[in-house]
């Protein structure tokens, strides 16, 4: 019985390593690509740790940043149009001139963020935390349904 349990445990840990390592390696490679080229449109960066990253002017259009940690990141002039930022942490992020048009900011944390001259037209902001955020000149499209 003990041998069967040990064999099963070894099999489960091997399967877990085989399935989780490539995702982390791919994510790490995409983060490195983003930092080197300043673009990663459509990339899957779900759960990526970009805390305090300098992402000035990056192209992250339609990227998957679900659950990503962007706390304190500099997103000045970044294009996050259509990005999935659901449950992402953007606490204390600096986003002057950034575009979040048509992005999914559901349950995102933008507390204490600096949001100057930001575009969020068409963004989904259900449950978005903006407590303590500082902003002005924000292009926020409201209403405008079809007649």
């Amino acid at each position: 019985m003990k041998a069967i349990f040990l064999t099963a445990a070894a099999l489960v840990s091997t399967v877990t390593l085989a399935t989780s390592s490539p995702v982390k390696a791919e994510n790490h490679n995409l983060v490195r690509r983003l930092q080197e080229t300043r673009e990663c449109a459509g990339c899957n960066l779900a759960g990526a740790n970009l805390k305090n990253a300098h992402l000035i002017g990056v192209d992250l259009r339609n990227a998957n940043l679900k659950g990503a940690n962007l706390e304190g990141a500099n997103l000045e002039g970044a294009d996050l149009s259509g990005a999935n930022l659901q449950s992402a942490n953007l606490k204390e992020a600096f986003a002057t001139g950034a575009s979040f048009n048509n992005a999914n900011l559901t349950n995102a944390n933008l507390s204490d963020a600096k949001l100057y001259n930001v575009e969020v037209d068409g963004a989904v902001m259900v449950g978005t935390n903006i407590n303590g955020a500082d902003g002005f000149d924000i292009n926020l499209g409201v209403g405008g349904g079809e007649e």
Side-chain angles (χ1 to χ4, degrees), residues 8 25 38-39 95 119 126 134 145:
R38 319 299 296 157
E39 57 186 55
E119 297 179 5
V126 177
D134 189 20

Side-chain angles (χ1 to χ4, degrees), residues 35 68 88 109 145:
Q35 292 171 332
N109 181 7

Side-chain angles (χ1 to χ4, degrees), residues 17 42 44 49 58-59 85 97 114 134:
L17 288 174
N44 184 5
N49 184 7
V58 296
D59 181 359
L85 291 152
K114 305 298 183 217
D134 189 20

Side-chain angles (χ1 to χ4, degrees), residues 2 15-16 23 27 47 51 83 90 107 111-114 122 139 141:
K2 188 175 182 179
V15 169
T16 301
V23 172
N27 190 292
K51 183 176 181 176
L90 291 118
N107 296 319
S111 62
D112 302 313
K114 305 298 183 217
N139 178 14

Side-chain angles (χ1 to χ4, degrees), residues 90-141:
L90 291 118
K91 181 179 181 173
E92 299 176 351
F94 183 76
T96 295
S99 175
F100 295 95
N101 289 336
N102 301 308
N104 181 358
L105 292 161
T106 301
N107 296 319
N109 181 7
L110 287 159
S111 62
D112 302 313
K114 305 298 183 217
L115 306 169
Y116 309 128
N117 193 28
V118 174
E119 297 179 5
V120 288
D121 191 36
V124 178
M125 298 181 71
V126 177
T128 303
N129 179 359
I130 57 170
N131 289 329
D134 189 20
F136 64 85
D137 198 19
I138 298 173
N139 178 14
L140 178 63

